[in-house]
């Protein structure tokens, strides 16, 4: 999982870093030591839909789980601001042309393994379960050989969206943690983030080379990063709704901040949450507040400790309890 500010942190505009050709990650971490790499084989797991506690179905339950049931307030706010930018759709059409689309599609098909019931079936089952719980269609899932733990989503106009997961991320996480990553990526599609993610990716990677787009790209990059950080907080919530255990989501963030397979059994989620609280305390004075926001506005994802604190707080909120009750009414829960 990987990107930006939370409710408490203030999103402020400011200078951004020069564009770098990297994907927009929903999860990211430092490269693990090759010596600590281990094989990973998930267990076959059964997923059971529990019947609703009552035979009476509310109107809300009848329409299914909706993106606005878990969308973060900052996501709503920054999406409205992004859509209000004049000419943004025209710029998107110019950058997301048929050639760019074909390059991304062919590169993915040619360098990855497509997951299916007959190809890596355990991973396919994890994705299918997550899609069922979030009431959304499962996209294609590709596994790509890469030493940098990462997962990302791309949505191409007129084509089925797909998720890409790097092999090093599979090695780093448990099956349940990996399902939290897949649910996070599904959250982007559930909330219609997919096209915006692709647009942002191409914009920051290539718009500076398009004549006349340099200054425009710099301005839009800042706006898109602000939106991306908020969108990541929404998708962490989607991950929690699927795994239904905040410690699993926080464990993913912790491992991506400083974990590797050889240290996995020594990591402590409670200690990481305490670290998140100490970060808030250190940033509570004026100087700390300024430094925190200077760090944040240069990132496409919130800091891991901020995301951990956010998801921990939401897991204890009435909004989360209400959403879980709705899932029970829909007959979507784990046994």
């Amino acid at each position: 999982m990987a990107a930006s500010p939370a409710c408490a942190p203030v999103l402020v505009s400011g200078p951004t870093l020069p564009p770098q050709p990297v994907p927009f990650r929903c999860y990211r971490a430092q490269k693990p030591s090759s010596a600590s790499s281990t094989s990973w084989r998930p267990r076959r797991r059964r997923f059971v839909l529990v019947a609703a506690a009552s035979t009476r179905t509310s109107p809300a339950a009848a329409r299914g789980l909706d993106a606005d049931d878990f969308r973060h307030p900052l996501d709503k706010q920054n999406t409205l601001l992004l859509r209000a930018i004049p000419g943004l759709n025209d710029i998107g059409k110019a950058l997301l042309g048929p050639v760019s689309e074909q390059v991304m599609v062919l590169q993915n098909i040619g360098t990855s393994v497509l997951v299916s019931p007959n190809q890596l079936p355990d991973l396919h089952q994890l994705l299918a379960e997550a899609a069922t719980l979030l009431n959304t269609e499962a996209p294609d899932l590709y596994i790509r050989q890469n030493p940098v733990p990462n997962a990302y989503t791309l949505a191409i106009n007129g084509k089925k969206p797909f998720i890409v997961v790097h092999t090093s991320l599979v090695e780093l996480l448990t099956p349940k943690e990996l399902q939290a990553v897949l649910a996070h990526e599904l959250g982007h599609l559930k909330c219609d983030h997919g096209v915006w993610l692709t647009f942002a990716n191409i914009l920051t990677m290539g718009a500076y080379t398009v004549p006349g787009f340099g200054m425009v790209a710099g301005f839009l990059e800042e706006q898109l990063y602000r939106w991306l950080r908020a969108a990541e907080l929404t998708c962490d919530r989607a991950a929690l709704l699927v795994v239904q255990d905040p410690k699993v989501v926080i464990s993913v963030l912790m491992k991506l901040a400083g974990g590797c397979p050889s240290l996995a059994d020594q990591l402590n989620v409670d200690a990481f949450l305490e670290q998140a609280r100490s970060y808030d305390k250190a940033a509570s004075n004026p100087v700390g507040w300024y430094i925190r926001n200077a760090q944040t506005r240069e990132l496409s994802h919130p800091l891991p400790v901020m995301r951990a604190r956010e998801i921990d707080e939401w897991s204890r909120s009435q909004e989360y309890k209400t959403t879980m009750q709705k899932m029970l009414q829909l007959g979507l829960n784990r046994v």
Side-chain angles (χ1 to χ4, degrees):
M1 303 155 114
S4 236
C7 277
V10 179
L11 292 181
V12 296
S13 59
T16 55
L17 294 174
Q20 300 177 1
V22 296
F24 276 90
R25 298 158 186 161
C26 296
Y27 294 83
R28 85 179 159 200
Q30 298 298 318
K31 178 179 178 181
S33 169
S34 58
S36 63
S37 176
T38 58
S39 61
W40 179 86
R41 180 185 293 272
R43 295 180 180 178
R44 287 298 184 96
R45 303 164 61 242
R46 288 191 63 196
F47 176 67
V48 181
L49 296 184
V50 180
S54 171
T55 57
R56 300 173 61 183
T57 304
S58 68
R63 64 180 171 83
L65 187 68
D66 188 76
D68 285 336
D69 291 331
F70 59 90
R71 195 187 300 269
H72 196 282
L74 285 177
D75 185 5
K76 297 177 184 179
Q77 173 186 334
N78 285 284
T79 297
L80 291 175
L81 292 174
L82 198 63
R83 289 175 176 171
I85 298 176
L88 187 60
N89 288 335
D90 294 334
I91 296 175
K93 290 178 182 179
L95 294 177
L96 291 175
V99 176
S100 299
E101 294 176 356
Q102 194 71 4
V103 167
M104 286 187 289
V105 171
L106 289 178
Q107 180 187 36
N108 198 60
I109 295 176
T111 61
S112 309
V113 174
L114 176 62
V115 175
S116 71
N118 299 320
Q119 181 72 276
L120 303 174
D122 294 315
L123 292 177
H124 182 269
Q125 181 65 17
L126 291 177
L127 178 66
E129 291 175 2
T132 298
L133 283 166
L134 291 176
N135 189 32
T136 190
E137 182 180 355
D140 288 336
L141 172 61
Y142 289 89
I143 303 299
R144 176 173 294 173
Q145 187 70 239
N146 196 300
V148 179
N150 189 22
Y152 55 92
T153 301
L154 287 176
I156 310 299
N157 289 330
K159 295 181 175 63
K160 188 175 182 180
F162 55 85
I163 296 172
V164 179
V165 176
H166 289 174
T167 50
S168 52
L169 185 61
V170 177
E171 295 288 341
L172 183 61
L173 305 178
T174 67
K176 196 168 185 180
E177 291 168 347
L178 184 58
Q179 188 172 51
V181 172
L182 296 176
H184 177 105
E185 300 301 330
L186 286 172
H188 282 302
L189 299 175
K190 176 76 175 178
C191 297
D192 294 325
H193 292 162
V195 174
W196 288 104
L197 285 172
T198 305
F199 177 29
N201 196 28
I202 294 179
L203 180 67
T204 56
M205 287 173 59
Y208 289 86
T209 64
V210 179
F213 273 159
M215 293 182 63
V216 175
F219 168 75
L220 290 180
E221 182 182 42
E222 179 183 332
Q223 307 303 314
L224 285 166
Y225 272 11
R226 181 183 300 172
W227 168 79
L228 279 168
R229 293 192 297 262
E232 290 300 305
L233 300 178
T234 290
C235 295
D236 286 345
R237 292 180 173 192
L240 177 57
L241 290 175
V242 168
V243 299
Q244 299 176 13
D245 183 350
K247 288 195 172 184
V248 173
V249 181
I250 296 169
S251 178
V252 175
L253 297 168
M254 177 178 59
K255 286 183 177 181
L256 291 173
C260 63
S262 64
L263 298 176
D265 60 346
Q266 301 180 51
L267 292 171
N268 187 312
V269 169
D270 293 325
F272 190 67
L273 279 174
E274 187 59 34
Q275 178 182 333
R277 297 184 188 101
S278 67
Y279 180 86
D280 285 339
K281 184 177 180 180
S284 60
N285 59 64
V287 175
W289 178 90
Y290 178 82
I291 294 174
R292 180 185 64 185
N293 283 281
Q295 287 180 319
T296 297
R297 66 172 176 256
E298 295 178 345
L299 301 174
S300 64
H301 289 62
L303 296 172
V305 290
M306 296 165 65
R307 294 172 65 184
R309 189 275 317 278
E310 268 285 310
I311 202 64
D312 177 61
E313 291 181 353
W314 193 65
S315 70
R316 292 181 278 107
S317 69
Q318 184 57 48
E319 182 182 4
Y320 173 68
K321 294 175 183 177
T322 300
T323 305
M324 288 301 300
Q325 181 60 37
K326 179 178 179 179
M327 294 179 71
L328 281 170
Q329 292 175 333
L330 289 165
L332 298 174
N333 199 25
R334 296 183 178 278
V335 173

